[in-house]
Amino acid sequence: MMRVGIIGFGFMGRMHHRCWRALPDVRIAALCDPDAAALQSGGGPRGNIAGASEAVDLSGVALYTDPAELFARERLDAVSITVPTHLHADVSVRALEAGAHVLCEKPMALSCAEGRRMLDAAASAGRHLQIGHCIRFWPEYVKAREIVTDGAYGRVISATFRRFSATARTRRGCWFGDASQSGGMLFDLHSHDTDFVQHLFGLPQSVCSHGDLESGGANHIVTAYRYAGGPLVTAEGGWAMTPSHGFQMVFTLVMEGAVVCFDSKKTPTLTVYPESGEPFSPPIAAGDGYEHQIRHFIGLIRGDRMPAVISPHNALTTLRLLEAERESMAEGQAIEIKEEIIGRKCQQETTVCGWPLSVCSWSLRCDPDGMARALSELDIRLVNLALKPVFAENGAEYLAAVRRLAWPLSAATIGFFHEDYTSLESIRTTGGIVPDAHWPRSREMVLRAIDLTVELGAPFLTLHAGFIEEEDGTAAQRVRDRLTLLADAAGEHGIGLLLETGQESAGSLRHLLETLRHPALGINFDPANMILYGKGNPVQAIGTLAPWIRHIHVKDALTARQPGQWGTEVPWGDGEVGQQDFLQALHKVGYRGALAIEREAGDDRQRDIGIAIKRLRRE
């Protein structure tokens, strides 16, 4: 029986109470709210949404007015935190330190600094932290995302989201109206759509927001989210509607082959208008986002294999977007969203020309604690983490150490035990996911690696796909099908699956990606590999592959003296890549990700990595 507590017993606390009590094998053991009278009386009905408006029976439930006393007296498996937003961080950290898994209402906090504190506390405690962005679980929004990712109606041309309430008129004088406690309309109401925009389309390049600021706080906002090459995305939110208008949420997705419309005030709420044929209402799941998010949370706690709908890092990214929207309103201009690595801002000394510097863990050739010492000596925090050791004999110990050290990750990387890099010919026949005899095991490893990538907070999983022989149409199609399967899994979990350069020419790799047209597929660009494999000029290849480049390996090499042999890897700056031309090419195409230094040869690889850092910082 799972023992659950709820801290904060206002409107949203009651909503959580309704959802928890409907579940089998769950007991609400404790409630906490500073309003003792409300707890003793059961509080009476609050709010105007079904599920939170009824009086509740609190018999048999321990009641507290102080979270500290609750945690001192109760041993809880999980806690719902539904207190005012400015208290989210403090109460969540306390709950995590007490050993409870935490479901905290949205938004995560009122600043990225507070959000990072929550994330770090969850990592240190080894407990799940889920933020209640319930729209990701709302049946109509879930169905809309399914329609978009399925691709049957083509790409999204434009997307418009609207969310309105009468909060500013109906809840005057309470904590909602104090932006220092709630974050105001922007953080409390509009955050739903900001979060769903990045859930559906990823991180925008910039945001441009306009708001009604005459009342002293933004009661109404319109934001444009810019994505290179589209779609056109806007979200409007306001909580100054009249009480007779009340609450409403709406979206319209204009796609190449259909228009998808949702309006919470209409019946049916969701309608698809296809290019040919009659409009129809697709089937959606029963229930609401509140109950679905709690079922998801329970699945995580119990160790079930759950789709990656929301992670603490996603919620932290939403905070970053909200901060940017607030800044845009105040300054009257668009704010660029730099690709910060999953919620942790890299310090100035760990960046080069604005790109975060990372180190490939396997280059250090030591256990995780040794890596930690080396990274400290190198003054680098960001890691491109090898996941292959997880599948080795001492994999459990490796993973436990990685979780404990809780590095911010620029990417995770998976390799395979059957690969033979003895010669170009040996890797041609054994590399990546191509060998049929090893495909079942390779598939299992990549799918597990996707789960770990999400858990550890990395935005990408990288791998060598292997040599794709286009001359053999059947074999090539088999590999394309495998890549699609793996990319589907990565996309469902909200991460990118990146193919490392080297084993194909830039033109061949571009043709593959254009053929697959999968939104989760991208490139981990390794310039040295193109030289080592004899696949062309890496600087020129950047222009060819620019739309797909999401992560960079900083590695250098010399061309092979004889065709058919390996080239020679050398320290960064001693080979044929050409640092200045390479970095200029990245600037030219607008690359915004990390530079991960890799060294796979040499006797003193940490020294060589240090040399690379110094040379890069001269730019």
Side-chain angles (χ1 to χ4, degrees):
M1 180 70 69
M2 185 179 292
R3 288 172 50 85
V4 173
I6 300 173
I7 302 178
F9 204 55
F11 166 70
M12 196 51 66
R14 290 163 173 273
M15 187 67 76
H16 282 235
H17 182 276
R18 185 261 296 179
C19 297
W20 280 114
R21 75 183 181 189
L23 296 171
D25 300 323
V26 170
R27 178 184 167 224
I28 299 176
L31 296 177
C32 180
D33 193 284
D35 185 353
L39 286 173
Q40 293 295 339
S41 66
R46 295 189 187 184
N48 57 7
I49 296 179
S53 58
E54 303 88 1
V56 295
D57 179 9
L58 302 183
S59 59
V61 179
L63 304 179
Y64 298 90
T65 58
D66 182 359
E69 183 183 3
L70 180 149
F71 292 126
R73 292 175 176 267
E74 304 285 343
R75 292 185 61 83
L76 300 173
D77 298 301
V79 174
S80 276
I81 294 181
T82 56
V83 296
T85 310
H86 69 293
L87 302 174
H88 282 184
D90 286 343
V91 179
S92 293
V93 169
R94 182 171 289 181
L96 291 162
E97 290 175 345
H101 301 282
V102 169
L103 172 59
C104 177
E105 259 305 318
K106 70 92 200 70
M108 188 178 200
L110 292 181
S111 70
C112 284
E114 288 185 333
R116 283 191 290 274
R117 186 158 66 91
M118 294 165 68
L119 191 150
D120 290 343
S124 297
R127 292 295 182 265
H128 289 287
L129 169 64
Q130 182 174 314
I131 306 303
H133 282 292
C134 62
I135 294 301
R136 293 185 180 224
F137 297 89
W138 214 270
E140 289 90 344
Y141 287 78
V142 171
K143 178 59 67 173
R145 190 169 187 267
E146 288 175 1
I147 290 171
V148 170
T149 56
D150 175 74
Y153 295 117
R155 68 182 180 90
V156 177
I157 299 169
S158 72
T160 304
F161 301 88
R162 304 171 74 201
R163 187 171 304 269
F164 305 125
S165 81
T167 300
R169 300 176 188 265
T170 60
R171 307 193 74 174
R172 290 190 179 101
C174 74
W175 67 271
F176 279 103
D178 183 348
S180 68
Q181 296 186 51
S182 69
M185 180 278 303
L186 175 64
F187 277 66
D188 187 76
L189 181 76
H190 181 68
S191 59
H192 281 298
D193 292 309
T194 297
D195 180 72
F196 191 73
V197 164
Q198 68 122 339
H199 183 47
L200 188 57
F201 299 115
L203 197 66
Q205 289 188 323
S206 67
V207 299
C208 186
S209 301
H210 301 277
D212 167 31
L213 301 176
E214 292 187 4
S215 59
N219 283 332
H220 209 98
I221 189 173
V222 178
T223 296
Y225 306 85
R226 184 171 70 87
Y227 291 89
L232 304 172
V233 183
T234 59
E236 179 181 7
W239 66 6
M241 310 305 284
T242 59
S244 59
H245 180 281
F247 179 77
Q248 183 182 27
M249 49 185 178
V250 177
F251 65 71
T252 301
L253 306 177
V254 180
M255 306 177 70
E256 291 176 313
V259 176
V260 182
C261 297
F262 165 72
D263 188 333
S264 63
K265 285 181 173 287
K266 293 183 177 180
T267 303
T269 55
L270 184 67
T271 304
V272 177
Y273 299 87
E275 186 173 20
S276 59
E278 294 298 315
F280 65 95
S281 297
I284 60 174
D288 59 35
Y290 301 119
E291 58 191 81
H292 289 301
Q293 72 176 356
I294 287 181
R295 290 181 185 276
H296 181 88
F297 181 54
I298 290 175
L300 293 178
I301 294 171
R302 291 176 173 165
D304 299 338
R305 182 180 173 87
M306 305 299 293
V309 181
I310 178 72
S311 74
H313 306 280
N314 298 147
L316 203 50
T317 300
T318 294
L319 275 186
R320 172 67 187 101
L321 290 173
L322 291 170
E323 289 182 339
E325 291 184 62
R326 182 171 58 194
E327 183 180 357
S328 177
M329 276 194 296
E331 297 188 2
Q333 63 182 15
I335 301 299
E336 182 181 355
I337 307 298
K338 294 183 179 179
E339 196 142 359
E340 297 162 354
I341 303 302
I342 301 303
R344 295 179 185 250
K345 291 185 178 180
C346 300
Q347 301 300 316
Q348 187 63 38
E349 65 268 22
T350 61
T351 64
V352 168
C353 303
W355 295 309
L357 276 186
S358 177
V359 169
C360 296
S361 64
W362 57 93
S363 296
L364 296 170
R365 296 192 296 179
C366 54
D367 64 18
D369 288 311
M371 291 179 212
R373 290 189 292 272
L375 290 167
S376 177
E377 293 169 4
L378 292 166
D379 195 21
I380 297 286
R381 290 193 64 217
L382 199 58
V383 176
N384 180 180
L385 182 71
L387 292 182
K388 183 179 175 182
V390 173
F391 301 90
E393 183 178 353
N394 297 318
E397 290 85 349
Y398 176 84
L399 184 56
V402 167
R403 287 169 171 155
R404 170 172 51 80
L405 292 163
W407 292 305
L409 303 182
S410 64
T413 296
I414 186 66
F416 306 102
F417 294 102
H418 62 264
E419 292 178 312
D420 181 359
Y421 282 88
T422 304
S423 67
L424 282 176
E425 186 55 36
S426 66
I427 193 59
R428 177 181 293 277
T429 58
T430 64
I433 63 171
V434 173
D436 294 336
H438 297 285
W439 166 239
R441 175 59 172 158
S442 299
R443 176 179 178 274
E444 176 186 342
M445 287 179 67
V446 176
L447 293 177
R448 172 63 176 146
I450 288 170
D451 289 340
L452 291 171
T453 300
V454 174
E455 176 197 333
L456 297 171
F460 311 117
L461 176 66
T462 79
L463 78 164
H464 278 290
F467 286 81
I468 303 173
E469 308 290 353
E470 291 291 343
E471 296 80 7
D472 185 340
T474 301
Q477 184 58 49
R478 189 158 55 240
V479 176
R480 287 193 289 268
D481 290 344
R482 292 172 184 176
L483 283 173
T484 299
L485 182 151
L486 299 175
D488 283 346
E492 289 170 2
H493 284 67
I495 64 167
L497 183 69
L498 307 188
L499 311 182
E500 188 158 337
T501 52
Q503 296 174 345
E504 303 84 24
S505 67
S508 295
L509 187 52
R510 181 183 179 109
H511 175 72
L512 172 67
L513 292 168
E514 287 179 335
T515 299
L516 294 176
R517 294 187 62 192
H518 199 295
L521 281 178
I523 289 173
N524 177 50
F525 192 92
D526 187 321
N529 279 353
M530 302 201 71
I531 296 170
L532 292 169
Y533 285 92
K535 295 297 182 178
N537 184 306
V539 173
Q540 294 175 358
I542 289 173
T544 303
L545 298 173
W548 296 275
I549 298 175
R550 300 289 180 267
H551 192 255
I552 298 288
H553 275 176
V554 173
K555 190 169 72 176
D556 213 339
L558 299 170
T559 303
R561 295 181 179 179
Q562 295 183 9
Q565 294 185 355
W566 286 110
T568 303
E569 185 191 335
V570 295
W572 177 253
D574 290 350
E576 298 171 7
V577 172
Q579 174 172 296
Q580 186 175 20
D581 289 345
F582 182 70
L583 297 182
Q584 285 179 351
L586 293 180
H587 273 297
K588 185 176 180 180
V589 301
Y591 176 68
R592 298 187 300 147
L595 305 179
I597 301 170
E598 182 183 26
R599 185 73 169 117
E600 296 186 299
D603 296 328
D604 192 340
R605 299 183 189 183
Q606 183 177 333
R607 178 202 63 194
D608 292 345
I609 292 169
I611 291 171
I613 292 170
K614 290 179 182 178
R615 289 174 173 174
L616 287 166
R617 285 178 174 163
R618 292 190 194 127
E619 287 299 317

